[in-house]
Amino acid sequence: MTETVPGVPTADRRPSRLELHGSTRVDDYAWLRNVDDEDVLEHLRAERAFYDAATAHLGPLVRTLTDEMSRRVPPSEMSVRWRRDTFSYYMRTPAGSEYAQLVRSFEHPDPHPATKSVADDSLYERFSSPDQILLDPATLAEGSAYVELGVSLVSPDERVLAYSVDRTGDEVYELCFRDLESGADLPDLLPRTYYGGAWSADSSTFFYTVHDEKYRPFQVRRHRLGSSPDTDVVVLEEPDERFELSVRTCRSGDVVVISAESRDTSEVWLVDAHEPDSDPWLVEPRRSGVEYSCEHARTDDGDVLYVVTNDQAVEFRLMVAPLKEPGRANWREVVPEDPSRRLHSVDAFDGWLVLTYRALSSVVLQVISLNGGPSYDLTPAPDQGTIRLEHNELYATSEITIAQESYTEPVAWYSVDLATGERRLLHRHDVPTYDAQRYVCERRTFLADDGVEVPVTLVRRRDVPLDGTAPCLMYGYGAYEAIDEPEFHAALSVLLDHGVVYAHAHVRGGGEGGRGWWLGGRMATKQNTFGDHIAVARGLGQGVVDASRIVTRGLSAGGLLQGAVFTQEPGLWAGVVAEVPFVDVVNTMLDSSIPLTVNEWEEWGDPRKAEEYAWLMGYSPYDNIPAAGGRPPLLATGALHDPRVMVWEPAKWVAALRASDPAWAGECLFRCETGAGAHVGPSGRFAHLRYEAEIYAWVLDRLGLAVSPPVPGSAAG
């Protein structure tokens, strides 16, 4: 029996007039904002039913893609180990599980020590044999369709684990504490917390963040184990809605760092981790447009604070100051600004600093000796890859762990001797049925309308030519100075096996080209983000890929990018995928009751100001519905519990687009997650692969490739 596709959902028009700066707008679908209303929920459920029915013919392809992706995920996985004083730790995913367990094993520096404390002896006897599972998210997921960890921090004495859980996707986390010797959770339970956390040096106290009703982390609180959460002390509260608070412990374990950050301004407070009940002290008062971050280090000259700042340095420089007198008056330059690359962070070890830089080409780690030795750079080995510090818990160490990967090379971890820079392979992620030599990655540039060269990373199977014949999936983001580093994904490798070229456009507004790259694509210059993406598509279509078969994809702020290029150049695309798209820009930026609005004014603009209203109105997809005819197929997504992009944004946009072009309405799909689900999709490794398979099936259908390719390495392939 053939099932019929239900009719295209049609939202009622209920006009509301909006007047500002002498102009009047009519919003026909403002009523969709009331997600507690049964009419709205019914409409969202109808959208999901239509999507499911309209894509039902892709079911076999989704299953094929899911199977192909799953074959590239090992049945069980294990991460590299990292050391603490008493134990080593690692992540282990059992066969068939969606989630990775946190595991530890006992590591005594001497297997037969001459002297041991009673506590050491107890630990040695308890943990000298089987490894111990500290946390298994699969058990937390029982009865839940979604589970995500926010915090997972072992105390300095390695006896308690602080962990937090979100079971709906709304990023509201329940903070728990687990006794690691008994395996039982302590009575301490904090129901509403956010990301980040810090232990006191004596493991008695935990610092954590709390968000307000707008999901802004506005308080750092202090919890003493064994006490009632009702008695927790507010260590710092941020009244300015443009700023968010975060908290962490420095690697030395001596200092807790509380950061207050807006989009372009920051302020840091410090707490003595050895005296957790003491008052925090301020590093340097906030000044508009000045950012800085801090890291503590012990030196021969005493305790110091290393400061990464853009104060008089667009691409940031490194300063140092005494820990107890850390104000700007005492800052001394250690590493000057390098205009060719952006300094992002400093990591301190005993006698060493590691600086993380980002240039337009790649990431660089610079190792600096504090004892007069030479400095040197660590660069990624995979072509067009990335490199990062990972799992470095020890302050007193002679070696660090780095991770390297690229779009074509799975992640590998190396130990680096700080004195020599020599690398030693520790562990490489296993990817069954995958041969990296079959794939190639390269960088090209195309000129934007204003003459700026916009880079694009091209990834393909080696036998797929760049001669204008291959189909292409483009990806772009371009906001917040964020960088999508080239990470390996099993799902992408499967897409490449279908003969698709993947093109990651590094558009302005992101951070790939440093601070200047972000400044060139925000606020009044935001149109550059969209123009860059369009320029790359046009360039690719001139003999690199098939110009008639380019699908473009992006999420959140990248979904805004997709909405803008859908509107401005609809004829370029064979299809557009706008995931949780920020498309109702003006209305959202006018409503300070919506989560994240106020602290986003410094990224997009404040429409209460006439000039900024004008540039926002110039590109807001919901306010710039394109003329009927000539539109590409569109797949939008949204999630009812998403606190970052409200579900009504894609719902309103889809309704307005369909109403303006009824003949095209059936080509406009809205995959709405009405149950548990997050901003970036489902949780769990296989659940997320199935989601990717859904997206890729739609993409392949738009590209005329809704068939399975030959298996690489087979006689046909």
Side-chain angles (χ1 to χ4, degrees):
M1 178 179 177
T2 302
E3 295 186 6
T4 59
V5 176
V8 178
T10 302
D12 294 339
R13 285 183 168 176
R14 303 177 188 177
S16 60
R17 296 173 62 85
L18 307 168
E19 297 183 4
L20 188 64
H21 304 304
S23 66
T24 300
R25 293 180 298 132
V26 177
D27 188 345
D28 288 330
Y29 304 104
W31 66 275
L32 289 173
R33 285 188 40 158
N34 186 9
V35 294
D36 294 325
D37 183 85
E38 185 56 36
D39 286 350
V40 175
L41 292 173
E42 184 60 33
H43 177 74
L44 297 179
R45 287 191 286 265
E47 287 283 13
R48 182 55 185 257
F50 178 67
Y51 164 81
D52 288 340
T55 58
H57 67 290
L58 298 176
L61 179 57
V62 171
R63 291 189 289 273
T64 297
L65 292 172
T66 303
D67 183 58
E68 291 171 354
M69 294 173 186
S70 299
R71 286 203 299 268
R72 293 205 170 154
V73 176
S76 60
E77 298 180 74
M78 186 178 296
S79 76
V80 69
R81 292 172 180 255
W82 62 92
R83 285 288 310 275
R84 295 282 294 271
D85 289 335
T86 305
F87 298 92
S88 67
Y89 298 78
Y90 62 96
M91 304 301 297
R92 180 179 67 196
T93 307
S97 179
E98 291 275 11
Y99 303 100
Q101 302 167 337
L102 175 61
V103 185
R104 74 177 179 185
S105 57
F106 189 86
E107 287 199 10
H108 201 288
D110 181 351
H112 303 289
T115 61
K116 297 196 301 258
S117 69
V118 174
D120 285 341
D121 187 63
S122 172
L123 288 171
Y124 183 71
E125 293 299 326
R126 176 166 168 70
F127 298 116
S128 58
S129 47
D131 290 356
Q132 178 193 16
I133 299 172
L134 303 185
L135 185 66
D136 185 357
T139 63
L140 304 175
E142 292 175 358
S144 300
Y146 179 91
V147 65
E148 190 70 32
L149 294 179
V151 168
S152 178
L153 295 172
V154 175
S155 61
D157 64 7
E158 302 184 68
R159 294 181 180 273
V160 180
L161 171 70
Y163 72 95
S164 63
V165 187
D166 168 19
R167 290 185 173 85
T168 64
D170 63 358
E171 299 183 55
V172 177
Y173 290 85
E174 181 180 67
L175 179 61
C176 310
F177 297 89
R178 178 163 294 179
D179 182 326
L180 295 183
E181 292 192 41
S182 69
D185 283 348
L186 300 174
D188 312 58
L189 189 66
L190 287 64
R192 183 182 175 90
T193 67
Y194 202 55
Y195 301 105
W199 281 102
S200 64
D202 65 0
S203 304
S204 69
T205 303
F206 192 75
F207 297 83
Y208 62 97
T209 56
V210 173
H211 43 25
D212 59 19
E213 68 280 358
K214 299 178 186 177
Y215 292 81
R216 178 181 69 96
F218 78 116
Q219 288 182 342
V220 170
R221 297 181 185 177
R222 184 177 68 226
H223 176 74
R224 181 169 290 275
L225 291 183
S227 68
S228 168
D230 294 337
T231 65
D232 287 359
V233 175
V234 175
V235 179
L236 194 69
E237 181 168 336
E238 176 53 62
D240 191 332
E241 291 186 274
R242 297 173 300 164
F243 287 78
E244 297 182 350
L245 295 181
S246 63
V247 61
R248 65 179 179 87
T249 309
C250 289
R251 183 174 288 104
S252 66
D254 296 331
V255 179
V256 173
V257 177
I258 301 174
S259 299
E261 297 176 290
S262 73
R263 293 297 170 201
D264 64 1
T265 304
S266 59
E267 180 178 85
V268 175
W269 295 75
L270 308 175
V271 177
D272 187 338
H274 298 275
E275 298 182 14
D277 294 340
S278 62
D279 292 332
W281 71 93
L282 177 64
V283 174
E284 173 66 19
R286 66 189 65 173
R287 288 176 290 144
S288 180
V290 175
E291 298 175 57
Y292 69 95
S293 60
C294 303
E295 181 70 5
H296 167 251
R298 309 182 197 118
T299 72
D300 293 340
D301 297 326
D303 291 288
V304 300
L305 202 66
Y306 284 97
V307 180
V308 173
T309 182
N310 68 340
D311 188 13
Q312 301 181 33
V314 173
E315 299 298 340
F316 291 70
R317 57 180 175 158
L318 182 66
M319 317 293 282
V320 68
L323 177 63
K324 293 301 183 180
E325 297 179 314
R328 181 173 180 268
N330 295 320
W331 289 4
R332 176 175 57 84
E333 186 175 82
V334 179
V335 179
E337 176 190 13
D338 181 345
S340 68
R341 58 187 190 178
R342 158 81 149 91
L343 175 59
H344 275 274
S345 63
V346 57
D347 283 86
F349 300 89
D350 190 12
W352 301 91
L353 299 178
V354 180
L355 308 185
T356 299
Y357 283 96
R358 189 58 163 83
L360 197 54
S361 57
S362 67
V363 178
V364 176
L365 303 180
Q366 183 180 40
V367 180
I368 299 175
S369 170
L370 296 178
N371 300 312
S375 65
Y376 57 89
D377 287 351
L378 298 171
T379 56
D383 186 32
Q384 302 299 334
T386 189
I387 186 173
R388 61 184 178 272
L389 290 173
E390 193 160 292
H391 298 313
N392 292 282
E393 301 280 345
L394 296 177
Y395 178 77
T397 183
S398 61
E399 59 184 26
I400 57 174
T401 300
I402 62 169
Q404 294 187 159
E405 64 182 310
S406 73
Y407 282 125
T408 59
E409 293 282 351
V411 62
W413 292 270
Y414 293 83
S415 172
V416 177
D417 186 306
L418 285 168
T420 66
E422 181 180 352
R423 306 184 195 191
R424 174 173 57 89
L425 179 64
L426 297 174
H427 182 64
R428 188 183 302 276
H429 183 63
D430 177 45
V431 182
T433 75
Y434 178 77
D435 180 1
Q437 297 304 311
R438 292 182 173 273
Y439 306 88
V440 64
C441 182
E442 63 185 80
R443 180 73 59 86
R444 297 196 182 186
T445 61
F446 297 99
L447 285 180
D449 290 343
D450 60 358
V452 171
E453 291 189 340
V454 182
V456 57
T457 300
L458 300 176
V459 195
R460 59 189 168 91
R461 207 172 63 194
R462 196 175 293 275
D463 61 350
V464 174
L466 295 179
D467 61 358
T469 61
C472 175
L473 173 62
M474 279 186 66
Y475 173 83
Y477 187 77
Y480 306 116
E481 202 182 352
I483 303 168
D484 288 305
E485 296 292 1
E487 299 178 348
F488 180 85
H489 294 288
L492 176 60
S493 67
V494 168
L495 182 74
L496 301 180
D497 283 345
H498 285 253
V500 177
V501 175
Y502 180 76
H504 181 180
H506 305 291
V507 296
R508 279 173 284 181
E512 291 91 336
R515 173 50 57 95
W517 205 246
W518 175 55
L519 296 176
R522 69 184 277 259
M523 303 291 278
T525 61
K526 189 61 195 173
Q527 179 57 39
N528 288 336
T529 302
F530 318 134
D532 288 356
H533 200 75
I534 290 168
V536 169
R538 287 174 174 163
L540 290 173
Q542 295 175 0
V544 181
V545 302
D546 184 346
S548 68
R549 292 194 294 165
I550 300 176
V551 171
T552 181
R553 178 186 186 185
L555 179 146
S556 194
L560 164 62
L561 169 60
Q562 307 315 312
V565 301
F566 173 91
T567 296
Q568 295 177 17
E569 291 289 345
L572 280 179
W573 320 110
V576 175
V577 181
E579 297 173 272
V580 290
F582 170 48
V583 284
D584 192 10
V585 180
V586 176
N587 286 326
T588 293
M589 288 294 99
L590 277 171
D591 189 348
S592 60
S593 70
I594 295 176
L596 307 180
T597 289
V598 175
N599 62 355
E600 300 272 299
W601 284 335
E602 292 171 345
E603 177 72 24
W604 312 104
D606 182 353
R608 297 174 304 174
K609 302 174 182 178
E611 179 186 7
E612 300 180 16
Y613 173 82
W615 76 53
L616 291 167
M617 279 294 295
Y619 66 76
S620 172
Y622 185 63
D623 296 290
N624 290 274
I625 301 299
R631 299 179 184 179
L634 172 67
L635 171 58
T637 74
L640 184 61
H641 295 290
D642 185 354
R644 296 184 178 270
V645 176
M646 303 296 103
V647 71
W648 62 73
E649 293 210 29
K652 290 174 62 179
W653 185 47
V654 165
L657 287 170
R658 288 200 186 120
S660 65
D661 193 350
W664 167 85
E667 293 292 315
C668 181
L669 304 181
F670 180 26
R671 184 192 187 280
C672 183
E673 192 63 72
T674 57
H679 186 63
V680 294
S683 65
R685 57 176 183 160
F686 294 113
H688 200 79
L689 285 181
R690 177 175 171 78
Y691 170 79
E692 285 295 297
E694 281 189 52
I695 300 297
Y696 283 164
W698 188 89
V699 168
L700 291 172
D701 197 31
R702 304 284 74 75
L703 297 175
L705 296 173
V707 294
S708 298
V711 177
S714 68

